[in-house]
């Protein structure tokens, strides 16, 4: 409400970068050490531990990508909400998940040999599309941000 276009841009970029950097603190070690992470939860020596860990090691790299794109789309969505833009982001996210992510997840997991990984690949595609679309929308809103018109906002004495 302060009409600070530079502040809006700085806050938006800081939010996006901060979210991604925070997720990278977790994603990088998980991606680099999937066996170690899996063994923390289900030691290989336990019954079925090796089989479970083998599946976990396959999924953890997908999970890290999922987390990065989720952080981007959530940060963009929240920045847009702060700019009082809620309808278009809702429609963009709905399109990304319902028209792209879920159908692709269902097709990959049920109609291709990809199997269970297809669910994650499909949902990841939906998150990627949401990240891009919401990022574009945020960029447009930040570029078009203008100070409120005189008389339309209460001025403090």
């Amino acid at each position: 409400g302060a009409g600070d276009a530079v502040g809006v841009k700085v806050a938006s970029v800081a939010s996006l970068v901060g979210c991604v950097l925070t997720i990278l603190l977790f994603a990088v070690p998980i991606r680099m050490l999937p066996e170690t992470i899996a063994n923390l939860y289900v030691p290989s020596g336990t019954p079925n531990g090796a089989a479970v860990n083998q599946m976990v090691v396959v999924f953890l790299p997908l999970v890290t990508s999922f987390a990065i794109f989720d952080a981007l789309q959530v940060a963009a969505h929240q920045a847009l909400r702060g700019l009082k833009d809620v309808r278009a982001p809702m429609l963009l996210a709905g399109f990304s998940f319902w028209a792209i992510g879920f159908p692709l997840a269902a097709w990959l997991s049920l109609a291709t040999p990809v199997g269970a990984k297809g669910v994650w690949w499909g949902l990841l595609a939906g998150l990627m599309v949401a990240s891009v679309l919401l990022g574009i929308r945020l960029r447009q809103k930040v570029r078009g941000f203008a100070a409120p018109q005189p008389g339309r906002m209460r001025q403090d004495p």
Side-chain angles (χ1 to χ4, degrees):
D4 182 6
V6 173
V8 167
K9 183 177 183 178
V10 169
S12 297
V13 170
S15 178
L16 291 168
V17 170
C19 284
V20 170
L21 290 176
T22 301
I23 289 298
L24 286 174
L25 289 173
F26 298 96
V28 170
I30 290 170
R31 188 174 280 259
M32 293 177 65
L33 305 166
E35 295 89 4
T36 303
I37 302 295
N39 274 310
L40 289 173
Y41 293 96
V42 182
S44 294
T46 61
N48 299 320
V52 169
N53 284 347
Q54 191 175 22
M55 286 192 305
V56 170
V57 166
V58 169
F59 284 103
L60 281 179
L62 285 169
V63 170
T64 59
S65 298
F66 193 91
I68 291 166
F69 284 101
D70 191 41
L72 277 171
Q73 69 93 21
V74 166
H77 213 140
Q78 294 302 327
L80 287 164
R81 182 177 291 165
L83 293 171
K84 308 237 184 298
D85 184 21
V86 293
R87 184 179 174 93
M90 177 195 65
L91 295 172
L92 293 172
F95 169 78
S96 299
F97 300 125
W98 290 101
I100 306 290
F102 291 133
L104 187 57
W107 177 73
L108 286 171
S109 63
L110 300 173
T112 73
V114 175
K117 285 192 295 186
V119 172
W120 284 91
W121 281 110
L123 296 178
L124 176 58
L127 279 171
M128 292 169 79
V129 171
S131 297
V132 170
L133 294 178
L134 292 169
I136 291 169
R137 177 74 178 181
L138 179 59
R139 185 175 179 191
Q140 290 171 341
K141 289 302 243 180
V142 168
R143 281 187 171 178
F145 184 79
Q149 298 297 322
R152 298 196 65 171
M153 188 171 96
R154 184 178 81 92
Q155 299 292 326
D156 289 332

